[in-house]
Amino acid sequence: MSTAEARLEVLTRINRAKEGAQTPERPPYPRAAAQTREEVLHTFQDRIEDYRAGFVRVAPPGLLEAVRTALGGARRVVVPGGLDAVWLPDGLDVRRDEPFLTHAELDGADAVVTGCAVAVATTGTIILDHGPGQGRRVLTLVPDLHVCIIRADQIVPDVLDGVQAVAAAVRAGRPLTWISGGSATSDIELVRVEGVHGPRRLQVIVVDGPAWRGRG
Amino acid sequence: MSGLHPSRPFPEAAREAVGNPQLRANLRKVTNTIREKRLRAVEELPHWEELRQLGAATKDASLANLSDRLLELEASVVARGGRVHWARDAAEARELVAQIAQAHQVTELIKVKSITSDEIELNAALDAHGIHAIETDLAELIVQLSHDTPSHILVPAIHRNRAEIQALFNRELGDPQHLSDEPAVLAGAARRYLRQKFLTTKMAVSGANFAVAETGTVCVVESEGNGRMCVTLPEVLVSIMGIEKVLQTWEDISVFMEVLPRSSTAERMNPYTSFWSGVTPGDGPQEFHLILLDNGRTDVLADEVGRQTLRCIRCSACLNVCPVYERAGGHAYGSVYPGPIGAILTPQLLNMTDKNANTLPGASSLCGACYDACPVRINIPQVLIYLRGEANDQKGVTLESLAMQGMRYAMSEGWRFEGAVKLARLGQGPLVRNGQITALPGLLGGWTQSRDLSAFPPQSFREWWRTRNAEPGAGSEGGQP
Amino acid sequence: MKIDLFITCLNDALFPQTGQATVALLERLGHEVRFNAAQTCCGQMHLNTGYRTDALSLVRKFVDDFRDAEVIVLPSGSCAAMLRELAPDAAHWEGDEALRDEVRALSGRIFELSEFLVKKLGVTDVGAAYPHRVTYHPTCHAMRSLHVGDAPLQLLRNVRGLTLLELPHADECCGFGGTFSVKNPDVSTAMLADKARHILETGAEACTAGDNSCLMHIGGGLHRLRSGARTVHLAEILASTEAKVWA
């Protein structure tokens, strides 16, 4: 068996099969009516709460307290390289993913705190492009609690806005993780169970205010 | 049942399923629940119809230039450090996965739910090589532990209720505590069982929901996080995708991420979606293989009518709205692709040569609910009708085809039809009791299994019309039979 | 208006009273009804069972018989859907583009009875009287192919003495499906069982619809169950008056 031979044959079959197939005209992408920033933020909050994830919206001075509250009893906290240290309250056992933590170390952590690349209001989706402040994919996967800090100006109205916002990252070869609420299953009698393999709890903190100039 | 080949004709398999009250109850509950949820999720988007049209056109555009797209995808994945393999059929794809596993001396691997891997009967083939594949999706785990087969694209254990799963997990997962039948408790048991596997297993196998040619990006859409575990934690990742899954540009992803979750789980968005392009240094598997699978897809592509089947994004909306699926369940279709989409995909992937699979296009009352629900506008009823013709062509002359020909002849002239009706009226004599027929012979016997039939009346419409016009002044008050 | 009636083969042979009621109704509304006795069948059963060549010869016959019609009215949603939606596709599959074009040219003049009354004529009160408790089953083809919407319901709401009872899960198929009902009798029966249960739940004396094929299946089941409920074609209700009851 040769995959080169298979490749040639599959391509030949396709070229034979698609003879006469026309490339159809594509209709324009339908867009929703423009929304105010407040409407967008409100929709995002509604969706996150609908997923039964934690949501809080704070002005920059309230961030530390919000992170503390979101972490609850979690003490061993993992953070990605590039996460702004000012986001983290004192008194935590913080492990920075520099050098890379092992799977076992991650499994022993209570929580992870990250930023995000962009967030989509209509679907309540947080998109990580795993750039600075977001870390490797495994960081937001293994610990049981994910605290995600989102700047209000990172929240866009629709899926297409989100896709466009991370286009450059994808073209640069970066992986993406889309998160819409916590891990969940409906496999048993379609009863939704929150928390299966990924983080069982998601806490979203939206930071909003003119003085805010965080990074992430 | 495994793979694509049904072991018996649909009507026979369905008869058994229809007679199973537990199965019927589970199916009714699940399909009705998700049907209503889906309607709400869809109504929320003001431009649903436009999104469906865009989704269909986006897939069609990719399919119209499929070889270019696949070559582009191959180049992009390779440029980002991945490897691309091509498989003409199931056997080649299975062999490729086994070879990769053997190259890494792997005896156990973890899997994300992938119907494509079920299509090629991967697990059994790996077993034969001494490699154990562990299903990590909760429903697939239930199915695997009970030595069963999936019955639904999205909810593979739809035919099992919580009591059955409770008994299974108490038996198979060896939990010291007796598990209750609470779904949360049962899911927790699966989490404990699988966590160590995720953290220590060296190789994973996944399918792919989409792949972007331009960027070499592969996508897995899921809910539980088992997919993220599988595509992130192991050192080696193999993704098997049907060649029809490729899209052209990154932006093409958007419309499908809008319509897929709402159509499948009836959510605004599924909890987790992973996208990756080749290998990312320091993050995730450092060895990535993408297997491009034909296995009959180019035959489907070659058919002008059947081609639209390849738009399918495996959302399962058509299953959930289908009245036949609701009664017969997934196993009756005898293929990894059940429901209305399976009824058109399975026989086509087998190039209309499998006798049992060719009964699948008949597994529909042609009510059209599937077409209305399909987010990429596959006209399933149209394809079903078309494929019934293709299946008949394979069979040649049968009792049925002769009967149909005879009827067509009788209907070729008005007077001839009138004569045939008169003959039938005479012939029905022995069958009629009190104006009803309660037992019909031969091909029509299925009718009177559960239904009576009113007998041919003494006068047909055309006979009445003639007498009415012959009697002056009869008008519309004329002769009620 | 000069209306050509396409009675359909099933109504002609088994349910002539539906055709008679259709004639009575349309004449009462002041129209001239014509019946071309050369007509037979739209070919739906042949096409849906996978006999395209046979079906297309019947489509060809339909086109020849109705070429000059001003409007063609059918007391059947599924036959109307066959002629408007499927026949052109089937002609194309067989490479008969001339037939495809001809049947397409006719499709704007083909109407199912309720859509003809409500959408074409703009009539929702046909002056009918029918003092019975009735529930309405929207047949799949009328609903999903023809998009007749609530036209039949508008007509029924204006029938004197009629109590219209809402059918639960109305939009679910009854399980007829042409030869599906004999080739897959078990699934068809299971679907029928639910439809019959929903009909009986309403407490209606009769279930009505715009298609005698579905009604033959539903009615056959109701009769076998000795349920006491019966089926009646929409045309027969709409044709009924205080003076004359059609069904």
Short mmCIF file of all heavy atoms in Angstrom, two decimals, chain A residues 43 46-47 50 122-123, chain B residues 38-48 262 268:
data_model
loop_
_atom_site.label_atom_id
_atom_site.label_comp_id
_atom_site.label_asym_id
_atom_site.label_seq_id
_atom_site.Cartn_x
_atom_site.Cartn_y
_atom_site.Cartn_z
N THR A 43 -25.97 41.03 26.43
CA THR A 43 -26.20 39.71 25.80
C THR A 43 -25.15 38.71 26.28
O THR A 43 -25.47 37.58 26.64
CB THR A 43 -26.12 39.84 24.26
OG1 THR A 43 -27.07 40.80 23.85
CG2 THR A 43 -26.41 38.52 23.58
N ASP A 46 -25.88 37.56 29.71
CA ASP A 46 -27.04 36.67 29.70
C ASP A 46 -26.64 35.26 29.28
O ASP A 46 -27.05 34.26 29.87
CB ASP A 46 -28.09 37.24 28.73
CG ASP A 46 -29.27 36.30 28.58
OD1 ASP A 46 -30.07 36.24 29.52
OD2 ASP A 46 -29.37 35.61 27.54
N ARG A 47 -25.81 35.16 28.23
CA ARG A 47 -25.41 33.85 27.71
C ARG A 47 -24.53 33.10 28.70
O ARG A 47 -24.69 31.90 28.92
CB ARG A 47 -24.65 34.00 26.39
CG ARG A 47 -25.39 34.74 25.29
CD ARG A 47 -26.77 34.15 25.01
NE ARG A 47 -27.34 34.71 23.81
CZ ARG A 47 -28.46 35.43 23.75
NH1 ARG A 47 -29.13 35.69 24.88
NH2 ARG A 47 -28.91 35.88 22.61
N ASP A 50 -26.59 31.87 31.39
CA ASP A 50 -27.42 30.78 30.90
C ASP A 50 -26.64 29.46 30.90
O ASP A 50 -27.21 28.38 31.09
CB ASP A 50 -27.93 31.11 29.49
CG ASP A 50 -29.02 30.14 29.05
OD1 ASP A 50 -29.97 29.94 29.83
OD2 ASP A 50 -28.91 29.58 27.95
N THR A 122 -23.36 36.88 21.24
CA THR A 122 -24.58 36.10 20.88
C THR A 122 -24.53 34.68 21.39
O THR A 122 -25.57 34.10 21.68
CB THR A 122 -24.72 36.01 19.34
OG1 THR A 122 -24.22 37.20 18.78
CG2 THR A 122 -26.14 35.78 18.95
N THR A 123 -23.34 34.10 21.43
CA THR A 123 -23.24 32.70 21.82
C THR A 123 -22.55 32.53 23.17
O THR A 123 -22.41 31.40 23.63
CB THR A 123 -22.43 31.91 20.77
OG1 THR A 123 -21.13 32.50 20.65
CG2 THR A 123 -23.12 31.93 19.41
N ARG B 38 -34.42 22.55 19.75
CA ARG B 38 -33.83 23.01 18.50
C ARG B 38 -34.64 24.15 17.90
O ARG B 38 -34.09 25.15 17.43
CB ARG B 38 -33.72 21.87 17.48
CG ARG B 38 -32.92 22.24 16.25
CD ARG B 38 -33.16 21.26 15.10
NE ARG B 38 -34.44 21.48 14.47
CZ ARG B 38 -34.67 22.29 13.43
NH1 ARG B 38 -33.67 22.95 12.89
NH2 ARG B 38 -35.87 22.46 12.95
N LEU B 39 -35.95 24.01 17.94
CA LEU B 39 -36.81 25.06 17.39
C LEU B 39 -36.54 26.39 18.09
O LEU B 39 -36.44 27.43 17.44
CB LEU B 39 -38.28 24.68 17.53
CG LEU B 39 -38.84 23.79 16.43
CD1 LEU B 39 -40.32 23.52 16.69
CD2 LEU B 39 -38.66 24.45 15.06
N ARG B 40 -36.41 26.34 19.40
CA ARG B 40 -36.14 27.58 20.15
C ARG B 40 -34.77 28.15 19.77
O ARG B 40 -34.62 29.36 19.58
CB ARG B 40 -36.20 27.32 21.66
CG ARG B 40 -37.61 27.08 22.18
CD ARG B 40 -37.68 27.29 23.70
NE ARG B 40 -36.82 26.35 24.42
CZ ARG B 40 -37.21 25.13 24.81
NH1 ARG B 40 -38.43 24.72 24.53
NH2 ARG B 40 -36.39 24.35 25.47
N ALA B 41 -33.76 27.28 19.66
CA ALA B 41 -32.40 27.75 19.34
C ALA B 41 -32.35 28.37 17.95
O ALA B 41 -31.60 29.31 17.70
CB ALA B 41 -31.41 26.59 19.43
N VAL B 42 -33.16 27.85 17.05
CA VAL B 42 -33.15 28.32 15.67
C VAL B 42 -33.95 29.62 15.53
O VAL B 42 -33.54 30.56 14.85
CB VAL B 42 -33.72 27.21 14.74
CG1 VAL B 42 -34.14 27.75 13.41
CG2 VAL B 42 -32.67 26.10 14.56
N GLU B 43 -35.07 29.67 16.24
CA GLU B 43 -35.91 30.87 16.17
C GLU B 43 -35.18 32.11 16.68
O GLU B 43 -35.51 33.22 16.31
CB GLU B 43 -37.19 30.65 17.00
CG GLU B 43 -38.27 29.93 16.22
CD GLU B 43 -39.37 29.39 17.12
OE1 GLU B 43 -39.37 29.69 18.33
OE2 GLU B 43 -40.23 28.66 16.60
N GLU B 44 -34.18 31.88 17.52
CA GLU B 44 -33.46 33.00 18.11
C GLU B 44 -32.62 33.74 17.07
O GLU B 44 -32.31 34.91 17.24
CB GLU B 44 -32.56 32.44 19.21
CG GLU B 44 -32.13 33.45 20.23
CD GLU B 44 -31.30 32.78 21.31
OE1 GLU B 44 -31.87 32.28 22.27
OE2 GLU B 44 -30.06 32.77 21.16
N LEU B 45 -32.23 33.04 16.00
CA LEU B 45 -31.41 33.70 14.98
C LEU B 45 -32.33 34.27 13.88
O LEU B 45 -33.02 33.52 13.21
CB LEU B 45 -30.44 32.70 14.34
CG LEU B 45 -29.22 32.32 15.15
CD1 LEU B 45 -28.21 31.59 14.26
CD2 LEU B 45 -28.55 33.51 15.80
N PRO B 46 -32.30 35.59 13.69
CA PRO B 46 -33.22 36.20 12.74
C PRO B 46 -32.93 35.80 11.29
O PRO B 46 -33.81 35.84 10.44
CB PRO B 46 -33.01 37.70 12.95
CG PRO B 46 -31.69 37.83 13.62
CD PRO B 46 -31.46 36.57 14.39
N HIS B 47 -31.70 35.39 11.01
CA HIS B 47 -31.34 35.13 9.61
C HIS B 47 -31.12 33.65 9.35
O HIS B 47 -30.24 33.28 8.57
CB HIS B 47 -30.07 35.89 9.24
CG HIS B 47 -30.19 37.37 9.44
ND1 HIS B 47 -31.03 38.15 8.68
CD2 HIS B 47 -29.60 38.20 10.32
CE1 HIS B 47 -30.94 39.40 9.08
NE2 HIS B 47 -30.09 39.46 10.07
N TRP B 48 -31.89 32.80 10.01
CA TRP B 48 -31.64 31.36 9.91
C TRP B 48 -31.65 30.87 8.45
O TRP B 48 -30.76 30.14 8.03
CB TRP B 48 -32.67 30.58 10.73
CG TRP B 48 -32.39 29.12 10.76
CD1 TRP B 48 -33.09 28.14 10.13
CD2 TRP B 48 -31.30 28.47 11.44
NE1 TRP B 48 -32.50 26.92 10.39
CE2 TRP B 48 -31.41 27.09 11.17
CE3 TRP B 48 -30.24 28.93 12.23
CZ2 TRP B 48 -30.52 26.15 11.68
CZ3 TRP B 48 -29.35 28.00 12.73
CH2 TRP B 48 -29.48 26.63 12.46
N ARG B 262 -26.61 24.76 17.08
CA ARG B 262 -28.06 24.95 17.23
C ARG B 262 -28.82 23.79 16.61
O ARG B 262 -29.89 23.42 17.09
CB ARG B 262 -28.49 26.28 16.60
CG ARG B 262 -28.03 27.48 17.41
CD ARG B 262 -28.42 28.81 16.78
NE ARG B 262 -27.59 29.89 17.29
CZ ARG B 262 -27.96 30.73 18.26
NH1 ARG B 262 -29.16 30.66 18.78
NH2 ARG B 262 -27.14 31.66 18.70
N ARG B 268 -26.75 27.34 21.81
CA ARG B 268 -26.24 28.49 21.03
C ARG B 268 -24.83 28.17 20.56
O ARG B 268 -24.43 28.52 19.45
CB ARG B 268 -26.21 29.73 21.91
CG ARG B 268 -27.60 30.17 22.31
CD ARG B 268 -27.52 31.47 23.08
NE ARG B 268 -28.85 31.93 23.40
CZ ARG B 268 -29.37 31.95 24.63
NH1 ARG B 268 -28.64 31.56 25.66
NH2 ARG B 268 -30.59 32.38 24.82
#
